[in-house]
Amino acid sequence: MALSNVLEPAVSGFNFENSTRNIVLENGSEEGKIKAPKPMKTGTTIAGVVYKDGVVLGADTRATSEEVVADKMCAKIHYIAPNIYCCGAGTAADTEKTTDMLSSNLTIFSMNSGRNPRVVMAVNILQDMLFRYRGMIGAHLILGGVDCTGSHLYTVGPYGSMDKVPYLAMGSGKLPALGILEDRFKGNMDLEEAKALVSDAIHAGIMSDLGSGNNIDLCVITKEGVDYIRPHRESLYNYKRQAKYKYKPGTTPVLTKTVNQLELVHETVQMMETAGSS
Amino acid sequence: IVSTFNNYNDLYPDWTQTEVSTGTSIMAVEFEGGVVIGADSRTTTGAYIANRVTDKLTPIHERIFCCRSGSAADTQAIADAVTYQLGFHSIELDEAPLVQTAASLFRDMCYRYREELMAGIIVAGWDPRRGGQVYTVPVGGMMTRQPVSVGGSGSSYIYGYVDSNYRAGMSKEECLKFTAEALTLAMERDGSSGGVVRLAVISEQGVERQVILGNQLPKFSTV
């Protein structure tokens, strides 16, 4: 039953090592008070659809830090396994690290057992981890993949709840995206229809939600392989930089120049024992 | 302490941050030879319906099911843990497990972790020793056997209907009709319940599942 893990499972309970330090920082003297950093969220639109031959996942590419766009070409469709990809909404750091950890664990499993991982395995591992952290990890994930049992699409919430459905949208832009999906989703669509549907759903999220924007990425997963289309559709509002920020040498006048020659005093060579030495 | 996720500006509306709950209507009835269980299909995150076709009737063993209400994450995790424990126990015994055993496992977990969990579960099934049985394990971790049990946020609206319409000795078809009607009434009145009605009959022969779609639900007066 035990699954090999890259990282040791956490010791029971939370790690409160930094609490005293944080309290001191936050309640410092008037000038010395430091505000805790707000976690960067990917105000997002992500969507997924199961079609005839597999799964299509889509995402926008905007990462926001409150009202500023922190990343215009953020990659929200994360690699989990050759046949499984995961879209992440919520706190950017949490989705990155969670999906990385999941991907590592599944790779180890593949090597140990010689099998391709199944989507339901990824879901179970995620559920176990997120439930253990009681919602403190802000990861709202859409997992999609094709394995020997078929094509599957799951959503996992930050508290560890899971739903298996044929079409999904998550993130701050999920309501407009879901409107498009509810209107046009059909079972057993073909590839072009499915791609158009997901793309339009993300586009609706981009248009109607401030936290989503820029380009649209798509990821098509089938039994034969994966087609990661980045970007599938580019934003109409890509502007070029107006000026260069490189300064010619000589722009800043040099006032004085001092050169300190460092003298080589002593040199030692130490041989290291390496595993490969005979 | 470092700020957590709950102070946002309007970019991230409040309803995206609350925990997913199966604000629910669930029900189970014993009859001669088995049990009938039923549930609605709505899962909510605040005011948003996260899943309108949820399956809240979760198999724990071949002839033992549980109906889940409360926090989706908590009940899924508990059901997974109990499924493992019961499966292991059944293999050790080389025998079909008792429904009471399953209910006890749920009760142990729900009582031990009562401060951390929010789960109201109805365990129902058939075993060769005592036939069809329904055990309710509400929030807090009590366990009691009842011939008919309702649970979830929608149950408050149908206690009167259930108390006045239940008779001992109903047949399987009568139980199915009774459950479907009770759940429909609960779904009509409770905002957190809705969607379709999922039913299952568990007996010596096995499990038969059915779904009653929205437009096929029994009709009551629309006052």
Side-chain angles (χ1 to χ4, degrees):
Chain A
M1 192 192 80
L3 187 68
S4 310
N5 281 320
V6 175
L7 300 165
E8 288 307 309
V11 213
S12 67
F14 285 106
N15 180 349
F16 290 108
E17 266 173 28
N18 286 333
S19 330
T20 12
R21 177 202 77 168
N22 292 341
I23 294 178
V24 165
L25 284 178
E26 285 204 344
N27 300 337
S29 59
E30 268 318 301
E31 332 80 61
K33 212 184 270 219
I34 300 189
K35 260 183 48 177
K38 289 234 160 48
M40 179 174 105
K41 297 201 75 212
T42 47
T44 290
T45 309
I46 50 179
V49 142
V50 176
Y51 77 103
K52 191 174 61 177
D53 302 319
V55 175
V56 178
L57 299 173
D60 73 305
T61 60
R62 172 179 291 183
T64 49
S65 188
E66 289 178 65
E67 66 282 358
V68 175
V69 175
D71 190 349
K72 288 182 283 195
M73 196 55 178
C74 165
K76 300 186 190 178
I77 307 186
H78 309 278
Y79 167 87
I80 303 290
N83 54 332
I84 305 175
Y85 275 72
C86 176
C87 306
T91 309
D94 290 345
T95 55
E96 265 306 317
K97 283 301 164 194
T98 308
T99 45
D100 273 354
M101 209 185 290
L102 176 62
S103 172
S104 307
N105 283 334
L106 285 181
T107 312
I108 292 190
F109 163 79
S110 287
M111 290 185 198
N112 264 340
S113 65
R115 294 169 196 238
N116 267 337
R118 300 191 189 183
V119 188
V120 72
M121 280 185 62
V123 173
N124 283 333
I125 295 173
L126 275 176
Q127 273 194 292
D128 282 345
M129 187 183 122
L130 293 174
F131 183 73
R132 202 164 9 111
Y133 283 93
R134 299 167 57 99
M136 291 288 135
I137 297 187
H140 304 246
L141 304 166
I142 293 186
L143 267 131
V146 179
D147 57 36
C148 57
T149 52
S151 322
H152 307 283
L153 187 67
Y154 289 88
T155 175
V156 182
Y159 286 89
S161 61
M162 167 280 274
D163 280 310
K164 182 179 197 307
V165 269
Y167 59 92
L168 269 176
M170 293 296 269
S172 54
K174 73 177 166 201
L175 287 185
L178 218 35
I180 302 287
L181 290 174
E182 291 280 16
D183 186 35
R184 282 161 42 186
F185 176 82
K186 297 191 308 277
N188 275 324
M189 284 184 291
D190 55 32
L191 176 63
E192 286 317 308
E193 234 183 313
K195 277 164 68 174
L197 178 58
V198 176
S199 179
D200 288 346
I202 306 291
H203 186 68
I206 290 175
M207 287 293 130
S208 309
D209 174 43
L210 294 179
S212 310
N214 299 92
N215 308 329
I216 301 180
D217 290 346
L218 282 192
C219 182
V220 181
I221 312 173
T222 56
K223 220 168 26 156
E224 280 76 46
V226 172
D227 188 12
Y228 196 129
I229 312 167
R230 175 169 158 85
H232 167 73
R233 204 200 293 188
E234 287 203 328
S235 158
L236 303 168
Y237 305 102
N238 267 336
Y239 41 83
K240 295 279 171 266
R241 284 234 160 84
Q242 299 304 317
K244 284 203 179 323
Y245 292 97
K246 261 184 119 54
Y247 294 97
K248 282 197 320 290
T251 311
T252 312
V254 178
L255 296 180
T256 47
K257 188 161 118 172
T258 11
V259 177
N260 280 330
Q261 285 289 6
L262 292 177
E263 209 181 291
L264 183 60
V265 175
H266 183 60
E267 184 181 341
T268 38
V269 176
Q270 189 174 9
M271 294 296 287
M272 302 263 294
E273 282 289 325
T274 55
S277 58
S278 51
Chain B
I1 291 299
V2 183
S3 62
T4 57
F5 318 131
N6 289 324
N7 28 326
Y8 295 124
N9 50 28
D10 286 328
L11 276 182
Y12 316 115
D14 222 9
W15 46 256
T16 57
Q17 313 314 325
T18 50
E19 196 181 330
V20 173
S21 118
T22 44
T24 293
S25 308
I26 49 176
M27 180 165 165
V29 190
E30 286 175 17
F31 68 92
E32 181 69 49
V35 293
V36 168
I37 57 176
D40 75 305
S41 69
R42 181 173 291 186
T43 316
T44 47
T45 324
Y48 175 69
I49 298 177
N51 190 352
R52 56 185 164 85
V53 285
T54 327
D55 185 5
K56 303 181 192 178
L57 306 175
T58 309
I60 303 297
H61 203 265
E62 227 182 300
R63 285 178 178 74
I64 306 178
F65 268 62
C66 77
C67 313
R68 304 179 289 111
S69 76
S71 152
D74 290 349
T75 52
Q76 283 176 12
I78 298 171
D80 283 348
V82 172
T83 305
Y84 161 71
Q85 292 170 344
L86 197 65
F88 191 87
H89 166 76
S90 164
I91 290 177
E92 272 189 323
L93 248 51
D94 197 21
E95 216 178 82
L98 299 178
V99 186
Q100 185 183 8
T101 312
S104 294
L105 288 170
F106 272 107
R107 183 268 315 277
D108 284 349
M109 198 166 292
C110 293
Y111 180 71
R112 181 182 302 262
Y113 299 108
R114 55 184 298 169
E115 304 302 328
E116 288 88 28
L117 293 174
M118 163 102 111
I121 298 180
I122 299 181
V123 186
W126 182 94
D127 64 42
R129 205 185 287 186
R130 297 192 192 123
Q133 300 145 70
V134 170
Y135 294 86
T136 180
V137 181
V139 172
M142 161 183 108
M143 173 182 89
T144 181
R145 180 177 173 186
Q146 293 178 318
V148 59
S149 185
V150 293
S153 54
S155 64
S156 333
Y157 305 101
I158 52 172
Y159 276 108
Y161 179 82
V162 168
D163 287 342
S164 58
N165 285 70
Y166 172 73
R167 291 163 293 114
M170 285 196 284
S171 71
K172 179 177 92 169
E173 285 68 28
E174 286 173 318
C175 283
L176 279 166
K177 181 159 173 289
F178 174 50
T179 309
E181 291 188 345
L183 289 175
T184 306
L185 287 167
M187 283 155 58
E188 289 285 291
R189 286 293 180 177
D190 179 30
S192 315
S193 304
V196 305
V197 169
R198 294 194 189 273
L199 295 167
V201 182
I202 312 172
S203 64
E204 184 175 4
Q205 285 73 40
V207 178
E208 306 160 28
R209 300 200 59 159
Q210 33 172 293
V211 179
I212 307 184
L213 297 181
N215 55 356
Q216 299 160 349
L217 292 170
K219 307 261 183 298
F220 294 97
S221 102
T222 47
V223 171

Short mmCIF file of all heavy atoms in Angstrom, two decimals, chain B residues 63-98:
data_model
loop_
_atom_site.label_atom_id
_atom_site.label_comp_id
_atom_site.label_asym_id
_atom_site.label_seq_id
_atom_site.Cartn_x
_atom_site.Cartn_y
_atom_site.Cartn_z
N ARG B 63 -22.00 -4.78 -0.54
CA ARG B 63 -23.41 -4.55 -0.22
C ARG B 63 -23.57 -3.55 0.92
O ARG B 63 -24.54 -3.61 1.67
CB ARG B 63 -24.11 -5.86 0.13
CG ARG B 63 -24.39 -6.72 -1.07
CD ARG B 63 -25.03 -8.03 -0.70
NE ARG B 63 -25.33 -8.83 -1.87
CZ ARG B 63 -24.42 -9.47 -2.58
NH1 ARG B 63 -23.16 -9.42 -2.20
NH2 ARG B 63 -24.78 -10.16 -3.67
N ILE B 64 -22.61 -2.63 1.04
CA ILE B 64 -22.72 -1.59 2.06
C ILE B 64 -22.39 -0.26 1.42
O ILE B 64 -21.33 -0.11 0.79
CB ILE B 64 -21.76 -1.84 3.23
CG1 ILE B 64 -21.95 -3.24 3.81
CG2 ILE B 64 -21.95 -0.78 4.31
CD1 ILE B 64 -21.01 -3.58 4.94
N PHE B 65 -23.31 0.71 1.57
CA PHE B 65 -23.11 2.04 1.00
C PHE B 65 -23.16 3.07 2.12
O PHE B 65 -23.65 2.79 3.21
CB PHE B 65 -24.24 2.36 0.01
CG PHE B 65 -23.92 1.99 -1.41
CD1 PHE B 65 -23.69 0.66 -1.74
CD2 PHE B 65 -23.87 2.94 -2.41
CE1 PHE B 65 -23.40 0.31 -3.06
CE2 PHE B 65 -23.59 2.60 -3.72
CZ PHE B 65 -23.35 1.28 -4.04
N CYS B 66 -22.64 4.27 1.82
CA CYS B 66 -22.88 5.35 2.77
C CYS B 66 -23.40 6.56 2.01
O CYS B 66 -23.08 6.74 0.83
CB CYS B 66 -21.61 5.71 3.54
SG CYS B 66 -20.43 6.69 2.61
N CYS B 67 -24.28 7.32 2.67
CA CYS B 67 -24.78 8.57 2.10
C CYS B 67 -24.04 9.68 2.81
O CYS B 67 -24.01 9.72 4.05
CB CYS B 67 -26.28 8.74 2.37
SG CYS B 67 -27.24 7.29 2.00
N ARG B 68 -23.44 10.60 2.03
CA ARG B 68 -22.56 11.60 2.63
C ARG B 68 -23.22 12.96 2.68
O ARG B 68 -23.81 13.41 1.70
CB ARG B 68 -21.26 11.74 1.81
CG ARG B 68 -20.50 10.45 1.62
CD ARG B 68 -19.23 10.63 0.79
NE ARG B 68 -19.48 10.87 -0.60
CZ ARG B 68 -19.24 12.03 -1.22
NH1 ARG B 68 -18.74 13.03 -0.56
NH2 ARG B 68 -19.49 12.17 -2.50
N SER B 69 -23.08 13.64 3.84
CA SER B 69 -23.52 15.04 3.91
C SER B 69 -22.51 15.77 4.77
O SER B 69 -21.84 15.18 5.60
CB SER B 69 -24.91 15.15 4.51
OG SER B 69 -24.86 14.98 5.91
N GLY B 70 -22.41 17.10 4.56
CA GLY B 70 -21.44 17.89 5.31
C GLY B 70 -20.33 18.34 4.38
O GLY B 70 -20.57 18.64 3.22
N SER B 71 -19.12 18.36 4.87
CA SER B 71 -18.01 18.83 4.05
C SER B 71 -17.63 17.75 3.05
O SER B 71 -17.43 16.59 3.41
CB SER B 71 -16.80 19.15 4.94
OG SER B 71 -15.61 18.97 4.22
N ALA B 72 -17.52 18.15 1.78
CA ALA B 72 -17.22 17.16 0.73
C ALA B 72 -15.87 16.51 0.97
O ALA B 72 -15.70 15.29 0.87
CB ALA B 72 -17.25 17.84 -0.64
N ALA B 73 -14.86 17.36 1.32
CA ALA B 73 -13.50 16.83 1.50
C ALA B 73 -13.48 15.85 2.66
O ALA B 73 -12.91 14.75 2.57
CB ALA B 73 -12.53 17.97 1.75
N ASP B 74 -14.10 16.24 3.79
CA ASP B 74 -14.07 15.38 4.97
C ASP B 74 -14.76 14.06 4.70
O ASP B 74 -14.23 12.99 5.02
CB ASP B 74 -14.78 16.08 6.15
CG ASP B 74 -13.98 17.26 6.70
OD1 ASP B 74 -12.80 17.39 6.31
OD2 ASP B 74 -14.53 18.02 7.50
N THR B 75 -15.97 14.09 4.11
CA THR B 75 -16.69 12.83 3.90
C THR B 75 -15.99 11.96 2.87
O THR B 75 -15.98 10.73 3.03
CB THR B 75 -18.14 13.09 3.45
OG1 THR B 75 -18.14 13.98 2.34
CG2 THR B 75 -18.95 13.70 4.59
N GLN B 76 -15.38 12.56 1.84
CA GLN B 76 -14.66 11.72 0.88
C GLN B 76 -13.47 11.05 1.55
O GLN B 76 -13.20 9.86 1.33
CB GLN B 76 -14.18 12.55 -0.31
CG GLN B 76 -15.30 12.87 -1.29
CD GLN B 76 -14.86 13.78 -2.41
OE1 GLN B 76 -13.67 14.04 -2.61
NE2 GLN B 76 -15.82 14.29 -3.15
N ALA B 77 -12.76 11.81 2.38
CA ALA B 77 -11.58 11.24 3.05
C ALA B 77 -11.99 10.14 4.02
O ALA B 77 -11.36 9.08 4.07
CB ALA B 77 -10.81 12.34 3.78
N ILE B 78 -13.05 10.38 4.79
CA ILE B 78 -13.51 9.37 5.75
C ILE B 78 -13.96 8.11 5.01
O ILE B 78 -13.63 6.98 5.40
CB ILE B 78 -14.68 9.90 6.61
CG1 ILE B 78 -14.23 11.10 7.44
CG2 ILE B 78 -15.20 8.82 7.54
CD1 ILE B 78 -15.38 11.78 8.13
N ALA B 79 -14.73 8.31 3.94
CA ALA B 79 -15.24 7.15 3.20
C ALA B 79 -14.08 6.33 2.63
O ALA B 79 -14.10 5.09 2.67
CB ALA B 79 -16.18 7.60 2.08
N ASP B 80 -13.05 7.01 2.12
CA ASP B 80 -11.88 6.29 1.60
C ASP B 80 -11.22 5.48 2.70
O ASP B 80 -10.85 4.32 2.52
CB ASP B 80 -10.85 7.28 1.03
CG ASP B 80 -11.25 7.80 -0.33
OD1 ASP B 80 -12.20 7.23 -0.91
OD2 ASP B 80 -10.64 8.77 -0.80
N ALA B 81 -11.03 6.12 3.88
CA ALA B 81 -10.36 5.43 4.98
C ALA B 81 -11.17 4.21 5.42
O ALA B 81 -10.63 3.12 5.63
CB ALA B 81 -10.15 6.38 6.15
N VAL B 82 -12.49 4.38 5.57
CA VAL B 82 -13.32 3.27 6.04
C VAL B 82 -13.38 2.16 4.99
O VAL B 82 -13.38 0.97 5.33
CB VAL B 82 -14.73 3.75 6.40
CG1 VAL B 82 -15.66 2.59 6.69
CG2 VAL B 82 -14.68 4.68 7.60
N THR B 83 -13.40 2.53 3.71
CA THR B 83 -13.41 1.51 2.65
C THR B 83 -12.18 0.62 2.77
O THR B 83 -12.26 -0.61 2.68
CB THR B 83 -13.42 2.17 1.26
OG1 THR B 83 -14.50 3.06 1.18
CG2 THR B 83 -13.53 1.13 0.17
N TYR B 84 -11.04 1.26 3.01
CA TYR B 84 -9.81 0.48 3.18
C TYR B 84 -9.90 -0.42 4.40
O TYR B 84 -9.62 -1.63 4.33
CB TYR B 84 -8.61 1.42 3.29
CG TYR B 84 -7.40 0.77 3.90
CD1 TYR B 84 -6.69 -0.19 3.20
CD2 TYR B 84 -7.00 1.07 5.19
CE1 TYR B 84 -5.59 -0.82 3.76
CE2 TYR B 84 -5.90 0.45 5.75
CZ TYR B 84 -5.21 -0.49 5.04
OH TYR B 84 -4.13 -1.12 5.61
N GLN B 85 -10.31 0.16 5.53
CA GLN B 85 -10.34 -0.62 6.77
C GLN B 85 -11.30 -1.80 6.66
O GLN B 85 -11.01 -2.92 7.09
CB GLN B 85 -10.76 0.27 7.95
CG GLN B 85 -9.74 1.32 8.29
CD GLN B 85 -10.28 2.34 9.28
OE1 GLN B 85 -11.49 2.46 9.49
NE2 GLN B 85 -9.39 3.08 9.89
N LEU B 86 -12.48 -1.53 6.07
CA LEU B 86 -13.48 -2.59 5.98
C LEU B 86 -13.04 -3.68 5.02
O LEU B 86 -13.26 -4.87 5.26
CB LEU B 86 -14.81 -1.98 5.52
CG LEU B 86 -16.03 -2.85 5.77
CD1 LEU B 86 -16.26 -3.02 7.25
CD2 LEU B 86 -17.26 -2.24 5.11
N GLY B 87 -12.40 -3.26 3.91
CA GLY B 87 -11.91 -4.25 2.95
C GLY B 87 -10.88 -5.16 3.58
O GLY B 87 -10.91 -6.39 3.40
N PHE B 88 -9.98 -4.55 4.34
CA PHE B 88 -8.94 -5.32 5.01
C PHE B 88 -9.57 -6.30 6.00
O PHE B 88 -9.23 -7.49 6.04
CB PHE B 88 -8.02 -4.34 5.74
CG PHE B 88 -6.77 -4.95 6.26
CD1 PHE B 88 -5.66 -5.04 5.44
CD2 PHE B 88 -6.70 -5.45 7.55
CE1 PHE B 88 -4.50 -5.60 5.91
CE2 PHE B 88 -5.55 -6.01 8.02
CZ PHE B 88 -4.43 -6.09 7.21
N HIS B 89 -10.53 -5.80 6.78
CA HIS B 89 -11.20 -6.62 7.78
C HIS B 89 -11.91 -7.79 7.12
O HIS B 89 -11.86 -8.93 7.59
CB HIS B 89 -12.18 -5.72 8.53
CG HIS B 89 -13.19 -6.43 9.37
ND1 HIS B 89 -12.90 -6.99 10.58
CD2 HIS B 89 -14.52 -6.65 9.15
CE1 HIS B 89 -14.00 -7.54 11.09
NE2 HIS B 89 -14.99 -7.35 10.24
N SER B 90 -12.59 -7.51 6.00
CA SER B 90 -13.35 -8.55 5.32
C SER B 90 -12.44 -9.64 4.76
O SER B 90 -12.76 -10.83 4.79
CB SER B 90 -14.14 -7.89 4.19
OG SER B 90 -14.58 -8.83 3.28
N ILE B 91 -11.25 -9.23 4.26
CA ILE B 91 -10.31 -10.23 3.73
C ILE B 91 -9.77 -11.09 4.87
O ILE B 91 -9.61 -12.31 4.74
CB ILE B 91 -9.18 -9.52 2.97
CG1 ILE B 91 -9.74 -8.94 1.68
CG2 ILE B 91 -8.05 -10.48 2.67
CD1 ILE B 91 -8.74 -8.16 0.88
N GLU B 92 -9.48 -10.44 6.00
CA GLU B 92 -8.98 -11.20 7.15
C GLU B 92 -9.98 -12.24 7.60
O GLU B 92 -9.63 -13.39 7.91
CB GLU B 92 -8.75 -10.23 8.33
CG GLU B 92 -7.39 -9.60 8.35
CD GLU B 92 -7.15 -8.85 9.66
OE1 GLU B 92 -8.10 -8.23 10.18
OE2 GLU B 92 -6.02 -8.88 10.13
N LEU B 93 -11.27 -11.81 7.66
CA LEU B 93 -12.32 -12.72 8.13
C LEU B 93 -12.72 -13.73 7.08
O LEU B 93 -13.32 -14.75 7.40
CB LEU B 93 -13.57 -11.89 8.48
CG LEU B 93 -13.96 -11.80 9.94
CD1 LEU B 93 -12.79 -11.40 10.77
CD2 LEU B 93 -15.10 -10.81 10.10
N ASP B 94 -12.44 -13.42 5.82
CA ASP B 94 -12.88 -14.23 4.69
C ASP B 94 -14.40 -14.34 4.67
O ASP B 94 -14.96 -15.41 4.44
CB ASP B 94 -12.24 -15.62 4.76
CG ASP B 94 -12.35 -16.34 3.41
OD1 ASP B 94 -12.53 -15.63 2.40
OD2 ASP B 94 -12.28 -17.58 3.39
N GLU B 95 -15.06 -13.21 4.93
CA GLU B 95 -16.51 -13.20 5.08
C GLU B 95 -17.00 -11.82 4.70
O GLU B 95 -16.25 -10.85 4.83
CB GLU B 95 -16.80 -13.42 6.57
CG GLU B 95 -18.02 -14.25 6.88
CD GLU B 95 -18.14 -14.43 8.39
OE1 GLU B 95 -18.66 -13.49 9.03
OE2 GLU B 95 -17.68 -15.46 8.89
N ALA B 96 -18.26 -11.71 4.31
CA ALA B 96 -18.82 -10.39 4.04
C ALA B 96 -18.93 -9.63 5.36
O ALA B 96 -19.37 -10.18 6.36
CB ALA B 96 -20.20 -10.53 3.40
N PRO B 97 -18.52 -8.37 5.38
CA PRO B 97 -18.55 -7.62 6.65
C PRO B 97 -19.98 -7.27 7.04
O PRO B 97 -20.87 -7.20 6.20
CB PRO B 97 -17.75 -6.36 6.34
CG PRO B 97 -17.89 -6.18 4.87
CD PRO B 97 -18.06 -7.52 4.27
N LEU B 98 -20.20 -7.05 8.34
CA LEU B 98 -21.51 -6.63 8.82
C LEU B 98 -21.70 -5.14 8.59
O LEU B 98 -20.73 -4.38 8.67
CB LEU B 98 -21.63 -6.91 10.32
CG LEU B 98 -21.50 -8.36 10.76
CD1 LEU B 98 -21.59 -8.43 12.28
CD2 LEU B 98 -22.60 -9.20 10.13
#
